[in-house]
Amino acid sequence: MTDPNLSAISGRHRQIPAILLRRARELRQRQTPAEQSLWECLRASRLYGYKFRRQHNIDRFIADFYCHEAGLVVEVDGTIHDRQQEKDAARDAWMESVGLQVLRVTNQQVQEDLEGVLVVIAERLRTSSPGPFSSQEKGR
């Protein structure tokens, strides 16, 4: 995704308040077991060559996982999200308004069906951008 407005809020040269930087660092150090499992599959461009960032600042929010190239935010929700559905919906609506797509999965889904979660993420990557899928990988 090459939208210059999106790059201003989520790209390499964006301005991030110090408090959000500290919070993202804390979240990276205290990942849930589900986040750790998913990160092992997404890190180092392991999923079809797409680069993901974890606990990535996007404007005033921190995304669990973010792929800038595809404009995809992946959120891994624990039980706290049952109590903040309105807040999450407003956050998702804002992200979608700036051109991002948001995929929410639960801790339980990641823990019980990691392969299925990866399939859904891969489908979103394929439909959101031309991406680096090689002809060899497209058949998988």
Side-chain angles (χ1 to χ4, degrees):
M1 188 169 279
T2 58
D3 182 349
N5 294 325
L6 186 56
S7 288
I9 60 171
S10 65
R12 177 177 295 156
H13 302 292
R14 68 201 183 285
Q15 296 297 313
I16 306 167
I19 193 165
L20 281 179
L21 278 174
R22 282 192 303 273
R23 179 71 177 134
R25 284 186 189 117
E26 289 171 9
L27 290 170
R28 280 192 291 274
Q29 292 171 356
R30 296 183 300 129
Q31 291 184 94
T32 66
E35 289 172 335
Q36 289 173 355
S37 295
L38 186 55
W39 180 238
E40 282 305 309
C41 298
L42 298 177
R43 67 188 294 269
S45 303
R46 290 180 178 166
L47 190 63
Y48 295 108
Y50 280 89
K51 178 183 171 98
F52 277 85
R53 300 168 185 154
R54 66 184 169 123
Q55 303 304 335
H56 183 75
N57 299 89
I58 301 173
D59 195 59
R60 64 189 181 273
F61 301 109
I62 300 172
D64 289 339
F65 301 99
Y66 174 64
C67 177
H68 186 71
E69 179 182 0
L72 177 64
V73 172
V74 179
E75 292 293 329
V76 181
D77 293 344
T79 56
I80 190 170
H81 292 273
D82 295 339
R83 297 185 303 271
Q84 63 180 43
Q85 291 179 358
E86 286 181 27
K87 182 179 174 182
D88 288 344
R91 181 181 190 268
D92 293 354
W94 180 86
M95 289 202 181
E96 290 169 2
S97 77
V98 298
L100 298 172
Q101 60 174 312
V102 179
L103 172 62
R104 287 190 173 274
V105 297
T106 65
N107 282 335
Q108 185 176 357
Q109 287 173 307
V110 172
Q111 291 169 332
E112 293 177 2
D113 187 19
L114 179 58
E115 187 174 328
V117 168
L118 292 171
V119 167
V120 172
I121 294 170
E123 288 172 358
R124 290 286 185 99
L125 291 169
R126 288 179 189 209
T127 60
S128 66
S129 70
F133 286 101
S134 69
S135 57
Q136 182 181 32
E137 291 172 323
K138 286 181 181 177
R140 290 185 187 167

